[in-house]
Amino acid sequence: MASIVLRKPSNLRKNRINPEKLFLYDNFAIPDFVKKALSGAFRDNIRVFLHDFAEIQNYCVNGMPVWCTSLFTENDVVCPLYTVEETVQDSPAPFCNYCELSGWGHHFVCKRKYHFIIPAKADWNEPLDRGFAELESLKLYGLVHCNGFGHLVCIHGLKYNSNFFGAEDSMEFWDRFCTLLRARSISADHVSRRGSVELNLIHGIAYGKSWLAKWGYRFNGEITEEKHNAVIRYLSKISLDLIISNSMSNRNANRIKSIIDVYRKCSTNPLSTIRDLLKFMLVLDSRIDMVANGAPKPNSETGETIPMGFEKLVDSMRKSCRWPARRLEHVLLVIVDLLKEHKNEDLGRDCGVSRQQLRDGARRSIGDTGLIDFVLKSINCFMVENQIIRRATNPLSRLAEFSIHQCSQSYNSSVDVWTVCENVMTMWPETKLILECDHFVKEWPIEDRVVGQGLVLECKVLPSFDEMEGQLGRRLSPGEVVAVKPWMTVADLKKVAQGALRDTYSVMDEFEVSQIGGLRKIENDKVVGSVFELGAQVWVRGRGLDLSTHLRHEDGGWKMKG
């Protein structure tokens, strides 16, 4: 369990915990009262969040105010989430390159944008660096404009032994955080890399979908999604034997063959294709995270049992028995030696040893049969040095058997994944197409938002003919989200829409709503609930667009018009 709490403005990490403001971090469960408080549009929700769940700091970054929300786990690991509010009017860089890359350059410039940062662990007790946007060490960096459109700039996660954020934990947090604040659309470009190989290639081949797809991000690029998926299917079926054969002229041929052989021996399931291999590698690479607080778990994608570390297995057994750790360790090492002896006698073949054989062998040096039985029962799959010990059921005899597998001393699944993808998959030119598919977007549909008895609408400005022909001659900017009561009148909706548009966009600072409805005006005395459904797009007309401001479109497109 972990929580979000308030933090006092201090260089020392002193927290004052309000029990009414706790979040469960494991699934980022949100209390109902928080959901109600954050039931409006993003521009309103971020203000509530900063007021109720963050503490303003006693310093600014480049003239911008900074808030800090402390995230902590049951292990008392405390991590800061910084929020920096940038006012575009005072910014030296008011336009958004990320919007331009995402195809959102036609959006009107928002008055405010919010930077969300989790710094490197070494910097958790330090003030936020003024050059945070350029730091490559950030564990998470997201930027969201006050209209709810934003960008996931980078996400890395901490080391596996940190007992806090892994890369998937960071992504899960970010996704739920955006959902909580009711973001509208988030883009992600070049955010997921392992070494110099992109995770969307690795996960695409291993699981048939990109890493980001697990959180609802969809590929959004020049090629079609069908072509992208067809290439993934083709690459994933390449056989390992063909890879070994084709790599004979490669300077890393021996290394590649060694990697494939090692993982084939370590796997309980046959590995015949590159998909099988990468799946198993990724399982092993994540094993420390997945077993940090319990027994080894089967991977849902592969059915593999993830090896548990030796010390973790001893600690797990010690908590559920009366024997001390040193005696448990001794029995485990005796069992490992017996398995090694049996393998040598069988000339290195991977033949299983029955539970009874191991029990009889262990009794020659250990008198406590209860201890032996307990340890044998506790073994599922664990790793000691460069050996993996597994228990499996013999399909013929239906009896439990134990086996030992040797992994190379250079065994490192993270490095091996990199080696396979860099030196093997580059033999197939189709990989270039996948590597170029680096733009992903997730949307939160307005019609999916149910806010009590409220009605959520999208108010979109319809410029006049002269405005469209003159200064705004491009695709229209998206509408702005408003929440109203269904019994309010259209006259009330005009006031709400005007306030929202003025609060959000620089070009609408003095905009006056004169009409609800596009070509046909809807009368002011009409009841909103009788005219519009949840999530409906409402055309808004008015006057007062500031066409003289340079803060018009997010890509700074006004410059190109002279």
Side-chain angles (χ1 to χ4, degrees):
M1 179 187 300
S3 308
I4 293 179
V5 300
L6 297 181
R7 176 188 171 191
K8 292 182 179 179
S10 169
N11 287 338
L12 299 176
R13 197 163 297 285
K14 297 179 180 178
N15 300 298
R16 59 180 165 84
I17 301 173
N18 184 338
E20 293 185 351
K21 298 180 178 180
L22 299 184
F23 294 75
L24 296 176
Y25 176 73
D26 287 339
N27 58 4
F28 204 60
I30 312 300
D32 288 339
F33 83 94
V34 177
K35 292 180 180 179
K36 285 185 178 180
L38 302 176
S39 60
F42 176 86
R43 65 177 181 279
D44 299 320
N45 292 339
I46 183 60
R47 287 167 170 153
V48 174
F49 177 80
L50 294 178
H51 181 270
D52 292 353
F53 305 107
E55 196 78 16
I56 193 164
Q57 303 299 281
N58 57 0
Y59 64 90
C60 292
V61 174
N62 302 323
M64 299 180 287
V66 180
W67 287 261
C68 182
T69 301
S70 293
L71 312 176
F72 75 95
T73 71
E74 62 182 4
N75 299 323
D76 293 328
V77 177
V78 182
C79 170
L81 169 68
Y82 289 108
T83 304
V84 179
E85 182 184 65
E86 179 180 358
T87 303
V88 171
Q89 187 68 41
D90 303 323
S91 174
F95 305 112
C96 182
N97 292 331
Y98 300 113
C99 278
E100 187 173 3
L101 290 172
S102 303
W104 299 342
H106 64 288
H107 289 198
F108 287 139
V109 173
C110 290
K111 289 185 174 182
R112 300 170 305 282
K113 45 189 172 183
Y114 297 88
H115 305 262
F116 302 101
I117 304 107
I118 295 178
K121 189 174 183 180
D123 300 325
W124 283 0
N125 289 314
E126 302 297 329
L128 187 62
D129 191 290
R130 61 181 300 174
F132 66 85
E134 305 299 327
L135 294 177
E136 295 185 359
S137 60
L138 297 179
K139 300 309 168 187
L140 185 149
Y141 176 27
L143 183 156
V144 185
H145 302 275
C146 63
N147 66 351
F149 287 80
H151 318 279
L152 177 56
V153 181
C154 75
I155 191 162
H156 295 297
L158 305 178
K159 299 298 183 183
Y160 288 135
N161 61 1
S162 68
N163 292 325
F164 198 56
F165 277 80
E168 295 205 0
D169 294 323
S170 299
M171 190 64 211
E172 185 71 19
F173 167 77
W174 171 251
D175 185 62
R176 291 179 180 269
F177 185 64
C178 290
T179 302
L180 170 68
L181 295 179
R182 300 187 184 271
R184 294 181 61 184
S185 189
I186 300 292
S187 73
D189 302 280
H190 304 287
V191 301
S192 53
R193 290 180 178 269
R194 176 168 302 192
S196 62
V197 180
E198 296 208 17
L199 276 177
N200 63 322
L201 171 62
I202 298 171
H203 276 257
I205 295 173
Y207 301 114
K209 59 184 179 181
S210 75
W211 186 69
L212 290 167
K214 291 189 289 185
W215 293 276
Y217 284 77
R218 296 177 59 86
F219 167 67
N220 185 22
E222 295 181 359
I223 69 167
T224 64
E225 190 169 0
E226 290 75 18
K227 185 176 181 180
H228 173 272
N229 294 339
V231 173
I232 286 292
R233 287 193 297 270
Y234 166 74
L235 292 173
S236 65
K237 294 178 181 178
I238 297 173
S239 75
L240 297 180
D241 293 334
L242 179 61
I243 289 173
I244 293 173
S245 175
N246 288 1
S247 65
M248 294 305 294
S249 60
N250 191 310
R251 62 185 176 85
N252 291 318
N254 291 335
R255 173 63 177 154
I256 293 169
K257 184 177 184 303
S258 174
I259 289 174
I260 293 174
D261 289 344
V262 162
Y263 287 95
R264 275 178 160 171
K265 289 180 180 178
C266 293
S267 174
T268 55
N269 297 329
L271 305 181
S272 58
T273 66
I274 186 64
R275 168 167 287 182
D276 298 334
L277 178 64
L278 287 180
K279 274 187 178 182
F280 185 60
M281 285 175 156
L282 292 174
V283 166
L284 289 178
D285 191 35
S286 62
R287 62 187 170 86
I288 298 177
D289 264 350
M290 298 183 71
V291 303
N293 295 305
K297 305 173 184 178
N299 181 271
S300 59
E301 297 278 358
T302 67
E304 291 284 355
T305 300
I306 303 163
M308 176 181 279
F310 184 80
E311 294 80 6
K312 182 61 65 176
L313 175 58
V314 172
D315 183 61
S316 176
M317 290 192 296
R318 185 185 58 80
K319 292 178 180 178
S320 57
C321 74
R322 56 186 173 83
W323 292 284
R326 59 180 176 79
R327 296 196 65 191
L328 297 170
E329 288 179 9
H330 176 64
V331 176
L332 282 173
L333 293 176
V334 168
I335 291 171
V336 170
D337 289 339
L338 288 170
L339 289 171
K340 287 181 181 179
E341 290 175 11
H342 184 272
K343 187 166 187 175
N344 290 335
E345 292 172 359
D346 284 340
L347 303 179
R349 290 176 302 202
D350 294 327
C351 298
V353 183
S354 70
R355 177 184 177 280
Q356 189 61 47
Q357 284 178 282
L358 283 181
R359 188 176 189 269
D360 293 341
R363 285 185 64 185
R364 293 197 294 266
S365 57
I366 302 170
D368 191 340
T369 55
L371 172 59
I372 297 172
D373 290 338
F374 174 77
V375 172
L376 288 172
K377 182 181 178 181
S378 301
I379 293 175
N380 189 12
C381 179
F382 74 96
M383 195 170 194
V384 54
E385 296 179 346
N386 60 334
Q387 309 277 350
I388 292 180
I389 291 82
R390 293 184 183 277
R391 183 184 68 191
T393 301
N394 187 309
L396 298 178
S397 67
R398 304 285 182 91
L399 297 176
E401 291 185 347
F402 296 78
S403 59
I404 187 168
H405 306 276
Q406 176 84 18
C407 288
S408 67
Q409 293 191 358
S410 59
Y411 172 80
N412 184 323
S413 53
S414 290
V415 174
D416 292 343
V417 166
W418 185 91
T419 302
V420 168
C421 287
E422 283 288 290
N423 295 283
V424 179
M425 297 312 297
T426 50
M427 298 178 195
W428 280 263
E430 291 83 358
T431 58
K432 295 181 181 178
L433 185 144
I434 304 302
L435 290 173
E436 291 170 358
C437 299
D438 53 14
H439 178 54
F440 296 84
V441 173
K442 177 172 181 177
E443 297 180 351
W444 285 262
I446 295 176
E447 56 267 24
D448 290 349
R449 304 184 184 188
V450 179
V451 184
Q453 296 181 321
L455 191 63
V456 180
L457 305 172
E458 180 187 6
C459 293
K460 190 168 186 176
V461 173
L462 181 63
S464 67
F465 179 79
D466 291 339
E467 290 168 338
M468 288 293 294
E469 283 292 303
Q471 302 296 326
L472 297 177
R474 60 190 307 183
R475 192 153 48 115
L476 292 179
S477 181
E480 187 56 20
V481 174
V482 299
V484 296
K485 300 299 182 184
W487 53 82
M488 294 174 66
T489 64
V490 168
D492 298 325
L493 176 59
K494 287 166 63 175
K495 295 177 182 178
V496 173
Q498 178 173 295
L501 293 167
R502 286 186 174 188
D503 184 38
T504 305
Y505 301 110
S506 297
V507 74
M508 299 188 189
D509 200 36
E510 298 181 2
F511 184 70
E512 295 182 10
V513 175
S514 60
Q515 175 180 318
I516 296 294
L519 299 178
R520 297 182 60 184
K521 177 181 178 181
I522 300 176
E523 297 301 325
N524 288 339
D525 58 354
K526 290 280 187 180
V527 176
V528 171
S530 66
V531 181
F532 302 109
E533 296 180 350
L534 175 67
Q537 184 180 87
V538 179
W539 287 105
V540 174
R541 308 196 74 163
R543 55 185 175 273
L545 287 175
D546 186 3
L547 301 181
S548 63
T549 180
H550 69 287
L551 299 176
R552 195 175 308 158
H553 295 110
E554 287 289 2
D555 62 359
W558 63 277
K559 297 178 182 178
M560 295 182 289
K561 298 192 175 190

